[in-house]
């Protein structure tokens, strides 16, 4: 009842308002129409009747749509904004138009678009955004547009599309996406398959073509040859070698992230330590461990050294470097991650017991890590534990298993001496 009263107030206010001076207002087929097209407007007029259902602002010189631009016309069903000079559609400019069925933003200069506003436009059936400067579309841009029937995004600057972009468009019957400069690499293969299998009408398919790489330039997407593509996979490992290790304060910890995938994945390290989070895009050092130009580092040798071959070196590992080390590999087809928890323990502190109990509880669930030929391999994505065991006497202490038998390592726990050097893999 409250919503009905509000609707009546909107209608009454709309009837009481006059038409904006540069526009023509009228009624046709029960639609309240305001025509502001071809008025050479450089800004949005004010004072629209609130009961307007169709608004045309086409063929003007509007430079952008500000936040709240159409708050005066909440009942709008059709909005025409083609052939302006719009570059930016600000967040909140369209969000209030929950009744909108047709939106035409074609033939503008739009490069900055508030895609999140579309999440409120669940009644939308026609969306024209062709002939703009759009370079990308977020994967969830159309998540609320289950009623959309026609989508026109041709003649833009789209180079790729994220898989699943069109999945929410269950009512879609017409898609124009020709004349975009597509980069025909692994990230676009899914779209080729989708266009060949879908019942959606897609005109001008010979003009849905590759611009790059050069060898495929001009090739229609539907004739794209098979490409060698695979999603990333990662394996985090640690190589230990005690033979001849010299005991000294502090030691070097080295981890290695073995990455596979096509195209070659980008490697990123996420490190959670007591002082906070460290994010590193690999590599940040050259083969000699010196910081690469342009990488943020307080010294020529960073505290965490990420090499191009996938190794991470921490030259002075101590209590401040305890924490969770994760390597993340990403390419056009997805991502993969592997993590390990690294901690120091000294006799009497109970650290080894705490982590040991934690490991055994996970081991019972089939999680943790296992050892093969002096190399530790994570077997699950979480709660892999490496304990670096410090001896107060300066010598490695003997590990004790849960059964009280000295000299045997519990499965998945690696107890290392104070100055143990974990040699990182040399696969530069």
């Amino acid at each position: 009842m409250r919503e009905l009263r509000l609707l009546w107030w909107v209608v009454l206010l709309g009837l009481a308002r006059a038409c904006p001076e540069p526009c023509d207002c009228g009624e046709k087929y029960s639609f309240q129409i305001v025509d502001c097209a071809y008025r050479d407007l450089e800004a949005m007029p004010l004072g629209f009747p609130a009961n307007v259902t169709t608004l045309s602002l086409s063929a003007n010189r509007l430079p952008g749509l500000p936040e709240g631009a159409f708050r005066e016309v909440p009942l709008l069903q059709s909005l025409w904004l083609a052939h302006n000079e719009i570059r930016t559609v600000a967040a909140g400019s369209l969000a209030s138009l929950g009744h909108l069925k047709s939106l035409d933003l074609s033939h503008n200069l739009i490069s900055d678009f508030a895609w999140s506003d579309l999440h409120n436009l669940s009644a939308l059936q026609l969306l024209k955004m062709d002939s703009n400067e759009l370079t990308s579309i977020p994967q969830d841009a159309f998540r609320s547009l289950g009623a959309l029937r026609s989508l026109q995004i041709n003649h833009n600057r789209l180079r790729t599309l994220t898989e699943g972009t069109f999945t929410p468009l269950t009512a879609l019957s017409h898609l124009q996406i020709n004349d975009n400069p597509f980069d025909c690499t692994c990230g676009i293969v899914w779209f080729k398959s989708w266009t060949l299998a879908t019942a959606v009408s897609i005109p001008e398919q010979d003009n849905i073509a590759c611009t790059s790489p050069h060898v495929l330039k001009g090739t229609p997407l539907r004739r794209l040859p098979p490409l060698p593509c695979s999603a990333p996979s990662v394996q985090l490992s640690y190589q230990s070698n005690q033979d001849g290790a010299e005991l000294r304060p502090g030691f070097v910890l080295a981890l290695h992230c073995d990455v596979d995938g096509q195209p070659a994945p980008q490697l990123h390290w996420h490190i959670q330590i007591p002082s906070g989070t460290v994010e590193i895009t690999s590599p940040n050092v050259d083969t000699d461990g010196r910081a690469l130009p342009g990488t943020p580092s307080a010294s020529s040798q960073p505290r965490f050294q990420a090499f191009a071959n996938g190794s991470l070196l921490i030259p002075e590992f101590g209590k401040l470097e305890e924490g969770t080390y994760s390597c993340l590999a990403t390419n056009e087809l997805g991502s993969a991650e592997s993590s390990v928890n690294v901690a120091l323990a000294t006799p009497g502190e109970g650290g080894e017991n705490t982590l040991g109990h934690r490991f055994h509880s996970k081991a019972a669930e089939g999680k943790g890590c296992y050892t093969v030929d002096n190399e530790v391999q994570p077997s699950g994505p979480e709660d892999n534990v490496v304990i670096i065991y410090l001896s107060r006497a300066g010598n490695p202490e003997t590990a004790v298993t849960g059964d009280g038998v000295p000299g045997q390592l519990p499965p998945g726990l690696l107890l290392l001496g104070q100055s143990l050097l974990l040699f990182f893999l040399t696969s530069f």
Side-chain angles (χ1 to χ4, degrees):
M1 179 63 81
R2 183 179 178 184
E3 292 179 356
L4 184 60
R5 283 199 297 267
L6 179 61
L7 181 61
W8 273 109
W9 273 110
V10 168
V11 172
L12 290 174
L13 286 171
L15 293 173
R17 284 190 180 181
C19 189
E21 184 176 344
C23 307
D24 294 327
C25 300
E27 181 178 346
K28 187 175 183 179
Y29 306 119
S30 300
F31 291 102
Q32 304 299 319
I33 300 172
V34 175
D35 184 6
C36 304
Y38 296 95
R39 300 301 200 276
D40 207 29
L41 299 174
E42 295 182 4
M44 287 283 297
L46 299 175
F48 291 112
N51 62 343
V52 171
T53 55
T54 299
L55 173 59
S56 177
L57 286 158
S58 297
N60 283 292
R61 297 170 59 191
L62 300 177
L65 300 180
E67 189 262 339
F70 302 102
R71 198 173 288 139
E72 292 183 331
V73 285
L75 303 181
L76 207 59
Q77 295 183 31
S78 298
L79 177 58
W80 311 105
L81 288 155
H83 295 281
N84 275 278
E85 299 173 6
I86 299 171
R87 296 179 181 273
T88 300
V89 177
S93 58
L94 302 170
S96 62
L97 302 178
H99 298 279
L100 198 64
K101 295 181 179 179
S102 300
L103 174 60
D104 185 358
L105 287 161
S106 63
H107 297 277
N108 278 285
L109 302 168
I110 300 172
S111 59
D112 184 7
F113 183 76
W115 294 100
S116 59
D117 275 21
L118 295 182
H119 300 167
N120 293 352
L121 309 187
S122 58
L124 201 62
Q125 297 178 14
L126 169 66
L127 177 58
K128 299 179 66 175
M129 300 186 70
D130 55 285
S131 303
N132 276 287
E133 303 289 328
L134 299 172
T135 58
S136 63
I137 300 175
Q139 183 180 18
D140 67 344
F142 306 131
R143 73 181 189 193
S144 301
L145 304 187
L148 194 70
R149 298 178 182 177
S150 180
L151 174 61
Q152 299 178 25
I153 48 177
N154 50 296
H155 291 92
N156 274 282
R157 297 184 180 275
L158 301 175
R159 296 190 59 82
T160 191
L161 295 165
T162 305
E163 185 170 2
T165 297
F166 304 119
T167 301
L169 304 179
T170 53
L172 191 68
S173 60
H174 177 80
L175 171 64
Q176 279 191 251
I177 195 170
N178 52 282
D179 294 283
N180 279 287
F182 285 119
D183 181 23
C184 290
T185 55
C186 294
I188 205 71
V189 171
W190 77 269
F191 183 53
K192 171 196 172 182
S193 302
W194 185 85
T195 59
L196 293 175
T198 186
V200 175
S201 172
I202 307 176
E204 299 190 53
Q205 290 204 26
D206 281 345
N207 291 327
I208 305 173
C210 308
T211 298
S212 60
H214 183 74
V215 69
L216 294 173
K217 187 174 183 179
T219 303
L221 186 64
R222 61 180 177 175
R223 299 195 186 98
L224 186 67
L227 301 176
C229 303
S230 62
S233 64
V234 297
Q235 189 172 45
L236 189 58
S237 60
Y238 338 88
Q239 180 117 5
S240 60
N241 188 342
Q242 286 183 278
D243 296 340
E246 182 181 350
L247 296 177
R248 64 181 63 177
F251 53 86
V252 177
L253 173 66
L255 308 176
H256 183 76
C257 190
D258 189 23
V259 179
D260 193 18
Q262 182 64 33
Q266 172 65 59
L267 181 61
H268 185 87
W269 288 94
H270 175 90
I271 304 170
Q272 190 67 50
I273 53 177
S275 60
T277 301
V278 180
E279 303 284 353
I280 302 172
T281 298
S282 183
N284 68 346
V285 295
D286 60 20
T287 56
D288 294 326
R290 291 190 294 267
L292 292 175
T295 58
S297 177
S299 66
S300 60
Q301 291 190 321
R303 177 184 182 188
F304 302 98
Q305 300 176 9
F307 291 82
N309 72 335
S311 293
L312 180 72
L313 196 68
I314 303 97
E316 295 290 336
F317 190 88
K319 277 289 187 181
L320 295 179
E321 285 71 42
E322 285 186 328
T324 301
Y325 290 73
S326 305
C327 65
L328 174 67
T330 305
N331 70 7
E332 299 172 19
L333 302 181
S335 61
E337 183 175 5
S338 184
S339 301
V340 64
N341 297 313
V342 184
L344 289 169
T346 57
E349 289 184 357
E352 68 277 14
N353 293 329
T354 301
L355 285 174
H357 289 316
R358 183 180 178 190
F359 169 78
H360 283 302
S361 66
K362 291 298 180 181
E365 304 172 17
K367 300 177 180 179
C369 50
Y370 61 92
T371 60
V372 177
D373 296 333
N374 205 32
E375 188 171 306
V376 181
Q377 304 285 350
S379 62
E382 60 178 13
D383 287 331
N384 304 315
V385 179
V386 174
I387 296 179
I388 300 173
Y389 190 95
L390 299 183
S391 170
R392 285 180 177 156
N395 295 308
E397 292 287 331
T398 302
V400 180
T401 67
D403 296 327
V405 180
Q408 297 182 12
L409 295 177
L413 295 181
L414 181 62
L415 306 183
L416 305 177
Q418 179 177 4
S419 63
L420 176 62
L421 175 63
L422 299 178
F423 293 100
F424 64 94
L425 304 182
T426 54
S427 58
F428 294 105

